[in-house]
Amino acid sequence: MLPYVTPGLPGLGGVLRLAPEDFVVVEVPSYEPSGEGEHLYLEVTKTDLTTPAMAGALAQALDVPLSEIGYGGLKDRRAVTTQRVSVPASAEVTRLGDLPFQIRVLGRHSNKLRRGHLAGNQFRIRVRQAHPEWRKRAQAILEALRRSGLANFYGPQRFGIEGRNARIGENGVRSGKLFGPMWRRWLMVSAFQSDLFNRYLATRLADGLFDRVLEGDVCGRLPRGGVFLAEDPAAEQPRVDRFEISPMGPLFGHKLMPTKGAAALREQALLDEANLKLEDFRKVKATGTRRRIRLNPGDMTIEEVEGDPVFCFELPSGSYATVLLREFMKCEPGQEEAEEADEAD
């Protein structure tokens, strides 16, 4: 189980997704369609349906190969989600009639949407059966997170049932052998990279270094933007305190941007503990990347609907609403077979 940033504060308990309408997600795009190009962008709103199932229905209705349907990220099944999808501009969208989701045509663009082509997601999530004192408890946790920040862990849905995907990915990295289509091999390796990232972040949190800049840390602007090496921790720490930047943890790969000094020692210790080298990831063509370890939940608001708390917030691409909610609920919100869009290599 992942550690909490606010372990000393009692949670709300409660349950999620008793109805799809309890979990509303709206994708935040990275860019708008230009009006010209070989791809047509659509806005799709679906209920209780996975993104792959939606893409399959679109492909069948338009009579185009599934590979021609593009999207920026996966969205949860048991939810009401709005996201952008690209289809060939030559497709006859007038044929899109009797489908189990709503469609709005946005316009043409020069490129197909691909994984990661989104800025983030906006959430409106209702927690039912919360503790009678949820108002007081939620406010205390929110104030604490506004000071400390949110630990940007990967959620359990990232790793498959009982962590199976991460274990398959680990075996693949060690042996260099993975089977199945390319997308499945990528998913397995990515799950293992994410598991190692969570271990790194959990250790840093336990050591009181979650909101500290270390000598040689790679840092990134928040919520997204430029990445740089922190050579003077004292000079960069005020920017971390103001949530302008965050230290970044490793998604290991053979071309991972290197850290230095104390930060490099921590990453090497994790590799040594796992009996791995960066070159091991070359076997599965995982180049590696970095992920911010700390986010700012400051813009979150908490509303009340029929006596239940409703959490409204935005997270950058690759971050998990369930990770934020577990800080409030102090229990595992549960897994879905789909996930918010992710950015692992």
Side-chain angles (χ1 to χ4, degrees):
M1 181 182 293
L2 296 175
Y4 295 107
V5 178
T6 60
L9 296 175
L12 287 61
V15 294
L16 297 179
R17 309 179 203 264
L18 285 184
E21 294 75 14
D22 291 349
F23 205 100
V24 178
V25 188
V26 177
E27 193 172 86
V28 180
S30 295
Y31 51 85
E32 297 298 329
S34 64
E36 299 179 353
E38 299 178 354
H39 302 272
L40 182 66
Y41 283 16
L42 310 174
E43 183 182 79
V44 175
T45 298
K46 60 184 183 63
T47 300
D48 210 14
L49 189 69
T50 67
T51 299
M54 174 270 292
L58 268 179
Q60 183 175 16
L62 294 172
D63 194 23
V64 301
L66 180 59
S67 60
E68 293 296 314
I69 308 297
Y71 46 83
L74 300 175
K75 296 292 181 287
D76 298 80
R77 177 186 67 81
R78 190 154 180 79
V80 177
T81 66
T82 300
Q83 68 183 117
R84 294 189 171 192
V85 178
S86 66
V87 303
S90 58
E92 298 182 24
V93 293
T94 55
R95 300 168 61 177
L96 296 176
D98 189 21
L99 288 172
F101 41 83
Q102 292 76 51
I103 296 173
R104 184 166 69 94
V105 177
L106 300 177
R108 291 185 175 226
H109 198 64
S110 56
N111 63 266
K112 173 184 174 182
L113 280 169
R114 298 186 185 277
R115 292 292 296 272
H117 285 201
L118 72 161
N121 294 286
Q122 295 175 340
F123 298 90
R124 180 179 174 85
I125 301 175
R126 181 174 181 174
V127 177
R128 296 182 187 257
Q129 301 175 19
H131 191 277
E133 295 184 356
W134 67 260
R135 299 167 190 80
K136 178 180 178 181
R137 295 185 178 193
Q139 190 60 38
I141 294 169
L142 180 56
E143 290 174 2
L145 289 176
R146 283 173 173 166
R147 294 190 298 269
S148 65
L150 172 70
N152 194 22
F153 286 113
Y154 284 96
Q157 59 268 55
R158 178 71 167 166
F159 308 110
I161 297 173
E162 296 182 350
R164 183 189 308 160
N165 291 354
R167 292 196 300 273
I168 294 173
E170 178 178 5
N171 291 336
V173 169
R174 295 188 187 281
S175 67
K177 297 178 181 179
L178 282 168
F179 303 97
M182 183 62 70
W183 68 266
R184 185 178 185 278
R185 285 179 275 168
W186 173 87
L187 183 66
M188 302 301 120
V189 173
S190 178
F192 180 49
Q193 290 173 303
S194 304
D195 179 57
L196 290 172
F197 174 89
N198 275 8
R199 291 189 226 173
Y200 172 86
L201 179 49
T203 302
R204 193 148 170 167
L205 188 61
D207 292 344
L209 300 173
F210 159 63
D211 57 355
R212 300 288 98 188
V213 182
L214 300 180
E215 176 198 358
D217 259 332
V218 172
C219 293
R221 291 184 176 274
L222 287 172
R224 59 192 70 85
V227 174
F228 64 95
L229 191 70
E231 298 184 356
D232 185 353
E236 304 297 347
Q237 187 60 50
R239 301 177 66 197
V240 171
D241 296 339
R242 295 192 297 267
F243 289 103
E244 293 178 8
I245 63 173
S246 169
M248 303 183 79
L251 290 163
F252 288 118
H254 65 94
K255 291 186 179 180
L256 181 67
M257 180 179 178
T259 50
K260 293 183 178 180
L265 291 176
R266 295 187 74 85
E267 292 184 7
Q268 187 59 51
L270 178 55
L271 286 171
D272 291 344
E273 180 183 344
N275 194 26
L276 287 169
K277 297 181 175 60
L278 290 182
E279 278 300 306
D280 292 329
F281 291 85
R282 187 185 295 274
K283 304 171 189 174
V284 290
K285 300 180 181 180
T287 55
T289 188
R290 290 194 173 273
R291 174 181 174 90
R292 290 155 182 80
I293 68 171
R294 181 173 177 260
L295 300 178
N296 181 9
D299 291 336
M300 168 182 271
T301 61
I302 306 173
E303 302 175 3
E304 183 173 344
V305 174
E306 297 177 342
D308 294 329
V310 177
F311 295 85
C312 304
F313 55 94
E314 181 176 326
L315 290 175
S317 171
S319 297
Y320 287 73
T322 49
V323 168
L324 176 53
L325 289 174
R326 70 186 291 275
E327 286 286 346
F328 287 89
M329 298 170 71
K330 292 297 189 297
C331 60
E332 300 302 323
Q335 298 189 29
E336 287 290 302
E337 62 273 18
E339 62 186 26
E340 294 103 88
D342 51 78
E343 61 189 1
D345 179 53

